[in-house]
């Protein structure tokens, strides 16, 4: 599954390792979150939203199958 989070990250030219370090999420966990196979906490979602300055919403991260 190609989630909005993955699309946004790749469009911005950010590696998954760079994003994981910036938002303090394990790379493996972030990869699973991006693929929509692992749910994350609201706290993690907010850190990702803040990193992208609101270009993605917490709802899009928490419920990738809906967007």
């Amino acid at each position: 599954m190609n989630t909005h989070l993955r699309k946004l990250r790749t469009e911005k030219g950010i590696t998954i390792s760079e994003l994981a370090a910036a938002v303090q999420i394990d790379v493996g966990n972030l990869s699973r979150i991006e693929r929509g196979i692992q749910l994350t906490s609201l706290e993690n979602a907010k850190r990702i939203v803040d990193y992208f300055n609101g270009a993605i919403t917490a709802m899009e991260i928490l419920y990738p199958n809906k967007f």
Side-chain angles (χ1 to χ4, degrees):
M1 173 186 211
N2 204 9
T3 64
H4 184 64
L5 174 57
R6 179 173 270 179
K7 289 177 192 173
L8 179 61
R9 180 183 59 75
T10 57
E11 285 171 3
K12 300 276 186 189
I14 301 164
T15 68
I16 195 163
S17 297
E18 290 170 333
L19 179 58
V23 297
Q24 300 175 346
I25 298 174
D26 176 77
V27 174
N29 288 340
L30 183 56
S31 175
R32 289 186 289 277
I33 293 164
E34 274 196 350
R35 290 180 282 144
I37 60 174
Q38 178 177 316
L39 299 177
T40 192
S41 67
L42 181 57
E43 180 182 313
N44 285 343
K46 285 180 179 180
R47 287 198 306 260
I48 295 168
V49 169
D50 289 345
Y51 179 85
F52 286 110
N53 297 314
I56 189 169
T57 67
M59 294 297 286
E60 291 171 305
I61 297 165
L62 295 170
Y63 304 102
N65 295 325
K66 305 255 186 230
F67 294 92

